[in-house]
Amino acid sequence: MPLLSAHPPHPPHHPSRQGSRHPSRPSRLTVATLAGALVAALLVLLPSTAATAAPTPLSQGKAVTASSIEGAGTPASAAVDGNNGTRWSSQFSDPQWIQVDLGASAQLSQVVLRWETAAAKAYRVELSTDGTNWSTAYSAANATGGVQTHDITGTARYVRVYGTQRTTGYGYSLWEFQVYGTAGGGPTLPGGGDLGPNVIVFDPSTPNIQAKLDEVFTQQESAQFGSGRYQFLFKPGTYNGLNAQIGFYTSISGLGLNPDDTTINGDVTVDAGWFGGNATQNFWRSAENLALNPVSGTNRWAVSQAAPFRRMHIKGGLNLAPNGYGWASGGYIADSKIDGQVGNYSQQQWYTRDSSIGGWSNSVWNQVFSGTQGAPAQSFPEPRYTTLDTTPVSREKPFLYLDGSEYKVFVPAKRTNARGTSWGNGAPQGSSIPLSQFYVVKPGTSAATMNQALAQGLHLLFTPGVYHVDQTIQVNRPDTVVLGLGLATVIPDNGVTAMKVADVDGVKLAGFLIDAGQVNSPTLLEVGPAGTTTDHAANPTTVQDVFIRVGGAGAGKATVGMVVNNHDTIVDHTWIWRADHGDGVGWETNRSDYGFRVNGDDVLATGLFVEHFNKYDVEWNGERGRTIFFQNEKAYDAPNQAAIQNGSIKGYAAYKVADSVNTHEGWGLGSYCYYNVDPTIRQDHGFQVPVKPGVKFHDLLVVSLGGNGQYEHVINNTGSPTSGTSTVPSTVVSFP
């Protein structure tokens, strides 16, 4: 069949947003203020008559957050950096606050506030042991700014200044926020150490490698909701005659800096014998950073969601279908080179990013490529290929490797308009972090210990296991890496949010699963605080292979799965899933109304899988959002039409862009319905968006699976209805 030559428009670079996010203000330093600052600076330089150095504040260099910042030049961290020439300043409104996490509880004695001209007239100094419940240690109703020193008593980990009235029309501005006292957090936590019993490391001389691979596979092949978690690590070298069959919650990775450093003359296989040749439940596993010479010339990787294939070099072909060509519902490839052809066969949909392939066969419903050399030409709707020449912004996932005998984590650099792999032209660009700078988290570690490690400045490396947390894991430091091995799983207890990221640059979250607990959590993962205005374009946060699950392994509840507030965040491959099978499944039993909510601006999602939520699967409220590839199924278990009625609209859209949004773009998006409890349910559309010149969608489809429910339209009131039981997509090539 002839291929169309036209390509959808390339995702544009966003213009500078400094003006829109960071309104400038006139200088407020008068001559008198400058003179006073100069005198103070000179006094600091005079020799002290005392021989004893001043104590270092407990707050200095610690994790700090604030209700807002005025602009990128006045971050919250400037108030605890020990530098009287840098400052935090807030937006121009009341109330505002700044909060420091001391890392552990301490006996407090004094708080010193060094105000800039824009000071607080009325404020409170508040203490907390958990960051949620606060007590007042000091309050002022008519303060005049300057340097305010308050003697306080109490034991706390968190200290907050809460301003309710300003002295000027500007915001609140502190040169320094200093907390003094006696640390009582116990000994410093060590970095590094062994990787625990469920990380299995091989070198070419290791005996009985195949037997160990088979032992784990026998345990994990059908353990879809089991507690076993495993990571195989292969040291650089050549391995012969292996077939690593990869089951649930099993990851296999090479330990070289490049995939070709570790070669297996054999296969890394996923098939579907355990499920009668149907691969649509081959979830939660991964392969990374290996070169393969497949025995037959073609490697089989027949997976569905949450099964990434990263940094792989296949010296042959790749078959994405199970033996017998049963159904499969994948999938994701990134930063990989497949010398031969990729056989898509029965894969309903697939996304391939920043890779090189020798060819591709078959399209089924929705195959999407960005930055992929050798990808088929743009031809949607038949064949159903969506092809972008490059990926607008990407950063590959961090990974563990060996530098000689030392474990390190490599953090790849951000790329713009990437095409092809990051490693194909020599050493990849990026930086290395020694394992000694990571706290190695092992089963049984408490959330308090994780937070202590983070507050010390350590990164987190989760070894394979299941972790219950009774408080939120707080990632407050810029450039922190939180990396999971073997699909490490975090379960929040008592309704807490499992993890929150502060309004900071460059956090990397990768390689773990968050599983909702029995008590409803308001959110499971929050990237950034609500209302942030900070520009992170130069060093965005990345969320990669971080999966969200509500139900399936047991009754779980969460109002929202993942919330992205920080601007410029890159979400690169996620599956956010409200379970349709397993334990603890029912319309109200594993209630979760919203899957993925974006409030930040300039957020990019590459490889977005979101399924089965009670209301909107995706809600996008931020400006200039972009999505390259989206896969969705609406909730199977809606009891009747009334249960999903959205005012006058029949059904909640799978992907909803807020009416206030002026600019948004998406490529290669599909929504499917399978209302098997009430097959008469009608869904008005899969996609609901404002009709504005800046809101553009390319290559959309909706599918009724076997006639269990039907769509009236594809997007808004555009697109033909689905009908019958033939499972034929209704498509829209371009909207509006």
Side-chain angles (χ1 to χ4, degrees), residues 265-291:
N265 292 318
D267 295 82
V268 172
T269 301
V270 177
D271 207 342
W274 74 278
F275 200 49
N278 182 335
T280 58
Q281 292 184 23
N282 280 351
F283 312 135
W284 303 305
R285 64 200 75 198
S286 67
E288 183 173 3
N289 202 31
L290 292 165

Side-chain angles (χ1 to χ4, degrees), residues 167-490:
T167 59
T168 73
Y170 298 102
Y172 296 84
S173 183
L174 277 168
W175 293 112
E176 284 295 298
F177 171 19
Q178 298 171 313
V179 179
Y180 293 93
T182 303
T188 299
L189 294 171
D194 72 89
L195 300 177
N198 293 332
V199 175
I200 302 165
V201 182
F202 302 118
D203 65 46
S205 65
T206 303
N208 302 318
I209 296 175
Q210 186 65 56
K212 188 62 180 179
L213 295 170
D214 292 345
E215 176 190 338
V216 172
F217 178 67
T218 298
Q219 177 182 320
Q220 298 300 113
E221 179 182 13
S222 59
Q224 183 172 179
F225 298 110
S227 59
R229 303 287 187 274
Y230 293 93
Q231 173 75 58
F232 293 124
L233 296 175
F234 285 75
K235 293 182 179 181
T238 300
Y239 301 78
N240 295 312
L242 298 180
N243 180 19
Q245 299 183 82
I246 305 301
F248 286 99
Y249 312 108
T250 305
S251 297
I252 184 170
S253 308
L255 283 171
L257 189 57
N258 285 319
D260 288 333
D261 294 339
T262 310
T263 297
I264 295 177
N265 292 318
D267 295 82
V268 172
T269 301
V270 177
D271 207 342
W274 74 278
F275 200 49
N278 182 335
T280 58
Q281 292 184 23
N282 280 351
F283 312 135
W284 303 305
R285 64 200 75 198
S286 67
E288 183 173 3
N289 202 31
L290 292 165
L292 303 180
N293 281 304
V295 170
S296 69
T298 299
N299 190 78
R300 186 186 302 276
W301 186 255
V303 299
S304 286
Q305 291 89 349
F309 200 76
R310 290 183 181 269
R311 294 179 61 79
M312 296 290 287
H313 184 190
I314 308 302
K315 298 177 180 181
L318 184 64
N319 183 348
L320 301 179
N323 186 28
Y325 302 99
W327 282 109
S329 186
Y332 177 90
I333 293 171
D335 202 27
S336 294
K337 186 176 189 291
I338 293 92
D339 293 346
Q341 178 166 278
V342 180
N344 183 73
Y345 302 115
S346 56
Q347 282 286 353
Q348 297 169 172
Q349 66 282 315
W350 198 277
Y351 175 54
T352 305
R353 178 183 62 72
D354 297 354
S355 294
S356 174
I357 61 177
W360 190 278
S361 70
N362 206 34
S363 69
V364 190
W365 294 338
N366 188 30
Q367 271 61 39
V368 180
F369 309 84
S370 68
T372 299
Q373 297 165 337
Q378 167 71 26
S379 59
F380 194 90
E382 195 60 50
R384 298 186 181 100
Y385 296 138
T386 298
T387 302
L388 287 74
D389 190 57
T390 62
T391 303
V393 185
S394 54
R395 179 196 280 135
E396 299 306 329
K397 172 182 170 288
F399 60 92
L400 190 68
Y401 78 105
L402 275 175
D403 183 2
S405 61
E406 183 184 5
Y407 282 109
K408 295 182 178 179
V409 170
F410 189 78
V411 181
K414 186 186 77 170
R415 298 201 292 168
T416 302
N417 292 329
R419 180 171 173 82
T421 68
S422 68
W423 49 269
N425 295 315
Q429 299 298 304
S431 59
S432 292
I433 305 172
L435 189 64
S436 61
Q437 294 182 23
F438 282 80
Y439 183 73
V440 179
V441 186
K442 297 175 184 174
T445 302
S446 69
T449 300
M450 299 177 203
N451 282 327
Q452 182 184 347
L454 289 166
Q456 279 181 208
L458 294 172
H459 308 273
L460 295 184
L461 180 72
F462 280 89
T463 64
V466 177
Y467 300 85
H468 284 264
V469 296
D470 59 0
Q471 61 180 258
T472 300
I473 301 169
Q474 302 277 0
V475 184
N476 294 329
R477 183 172 52 86
D479 297 309
T480 300
V481 176
V482 180
L483 178 62
L485 301 178
L487 278 296
T489 302
V490 179

Side-chain angles (χ1 to χ4, degrees), residues 588-599:
E588 296 296 342
T589 305
N590 61 328
R591 180 90 195 186
S592 190
D593 283 349
Y594 310 102
F596 182 60
R597 179 179 290 162
V598 179
N599 298 318

Side-chain angles (χ1 to χ4, degrees), residues 39-275:
V39 170
L42 290 171
L43 288 172
V44 168
L45 295 175
L46 292 176
S48 173
T49 57
T52 304
T56 300
L58 297 177
S59 52
Q60 189 162 312
K62 294 296 173 59
V64 64
T65 53
S67 53
S68 68
I69 62 171
E70 181 188 357
T74 57
S77 59
V80 295
D81 62 1
N83 183 347
N84 287 327
T86 61
R87 64 186 174 91
W88 162 71
S89 62
S90 75
Q91 294 288 302
F92 306 165
S93 62
D94 294 311
Q96 300 287 342
W97 53 264
I98 183 169
Q99 167 187 325
V100 64
D101 178 358
L102 303 177
S105 290
Q107 296 288 332
L108 304 182
S109 59
Q110 191 176 81
V111 170
V112 178
L113 304 175
R114 299 180 181 275
W115 293 102
E116 193 241 6
T117 304
K121 180 178 181 181
Y123 63 93
R124 303 188 298 271
V125 176
E126 299 178 325
L127 310 180
S128 174
T129 58
D130 59 7
T132 301
N133 301 295
W134 297 91
S135 61
T136 300
Y138 176 84
S139 63
N142 198 30
T144 57
V147 178
Q148 301 281 336
T149 300
H150 307 303
D151 293 326
I152 62 171
T153 58
T155 300
R157 172 175 172 170
Y158 302 89
V159 183
R160 180 169 74 177
V161 177
Y162 194 97
T164 56
Q165 186 178 357
R166 293 161 287 148
T167 59
T168 73
Y170 298 102
Y172 296 84
S173 183
L174 277 168
W175 293 112
E176 284 295 298
F177 171 19
Q178 298 171 313
V179 179
Y180 293 93
T182 303
T188 299
L189 294 171
D194 72 89
L195 300 177
N198 293 332
V199 175
I200 302 165
V201 182
F202 302 118
D203 65 46
S205 65
T206 303
N208 302 318
I209 296 175
Q210 186 65 56
K212 188 62 180 179
L213 295 170
D214 292 345
E215 176 190 338
V216 172
F217 178 67
T218 298
Q219 177 182 320
Q220 298 300 113
E221 179 182 13
S222 59
Q224 183 172 179
F225 298 110
S227 59
R229 303 287 187 274
Y230 293 93
Q231 173 75 58
F232 293 124
L233 296 175
F234 285 75
K235 293 182 179 181
T238 300
Y239 301 78
N240 295 312
L242 298 180
N243 180 19
Q245 299 183 82
I246 305 301
F248 286 99
Y249 312 108
T250 305
S251 297
I252 184 170
S253 308
L255 283 171
L257 189 57
N258 285 319
D260 288 333
D261 294 339
T262 310
T263 297
I264 295 177
N265 292 318
D267 295 82
V268 172
T269 301
V270 177
D271 207 342
W274 74 278
F275 200 49

Side-chain angles (χ1 to χ4, degrees), residues 383-634:
R384 298 186 181 100
Y385 296 138
T386 298
T387 302
L388 287 74
D389 190 57
T390 62
T391 303
V393 185
S394 54
R395 179 196 280 135
E396 299 306 329
K397 172 182 170 288
F399 60 92
L400 190 68
Y401 78 105
L402 275 175
D403 183 2
S405 61
E406 183 184 5
Y407 282 109
K408 295 182 178 179
V409 170
F410 189 78
V411 181
K414 186 186 77 170
R415 298 201 292 168
T416 302
N417 292 329
R419 180 171 173 82
T421 68
S422 68
W423 49 269
N425 295 315
Q429 299 298 304
S431 59
S432 292
I433 305 172
L435 189 64
S436 61
Q437 294 182 23
F438 282 80
Y439 183 73
V440 179
V441 186
K442 297 175 184 174
T445 302
S446 69
T449 300
M450 299 177 203
N451 282 327
Q452 182 184 347
L454 289 166
Q456 279 181 208
L458 294 172
H459 308 273
L460 295 184
L461 180 72
F462 280 89
T463 64
V466 177
Y467 300 85
H468 284 264
V469 296
D470 59 0
Q471 61 180 258
T472 300
I473 301 169
Q474 302 277 0
V475 184
N476 294 329
R477 183 172 52 86
D479 297 309
T480 300
V481 176
V482 180
L483 178 62
L485 301 178
L487 278 296
T489 302
V490 179
I491 302 175
D493 293 333
N494 305 320
V496 302
T497 296
M499 186 177 293
K500 292 184 180 181
V501 176
D503 185 12
V504 294
D505 275 353
V507 171
K508 292 92 180 172
L509 309 180
F512 55 90
L513 167 66
I514 298 177
D515 200 355
Q518 294 184 12
V519 178
N520 186 75
S521 294
T523 58
L524 294 174
L525 173 63
E526 291 183 22
V527 181
T532 176
T533 59
T534 308
D535 189 308
H536 297 291
N539 186 14
T541 285
T542 47
V543 182
Q544 299 176 286
D545 303 345
V546 174
F547 308 120
I548 304 289
R549 182 170 70 194
V550 183
K557 293 185 177 183
T559 305
V560 190
M562 184 189 302
V563 178
V564 178
N565 293 314
N566 277 355
H567 300 313
D568 308 292
T569 299
I570 301 170
V571 179
D572 176 43
H573 189 226
T574 186
W575 185 37
I576 304 173
W577 186 63
R578 176 181 167 267
D580 61 277
H581 63 273
D583 293 333
V585 172
W587 185 248
E588 296 296 342
T589 305
N590 61 328
R591 180 90 195 186
S592 190
D593 283 349
Y594 310 102
F596 182 60
R597 179 179 290 162
V598 179
N599 298 318
D601 294 341
D602 302 291
V603 172
L604 172 65
T606 53
L608 179 61
F609 300 74
V610 189
E611 296 189 305
H612 308 150
F613 287 84
N614 294 74
K615 293 184 178 179
Y616 294 121
D617 298 276
V618 172
E619 286 185 297
W620 209 298
N621 302 314
E623 282 289 354
R624 297 178 296 278
R626 294 175 288 184
T627 295
I628 303 173
F629 181 90
F630 171 68
Q631 184 266 330
N632 164 261
E633 286 180 342
K634 294 301 299 174

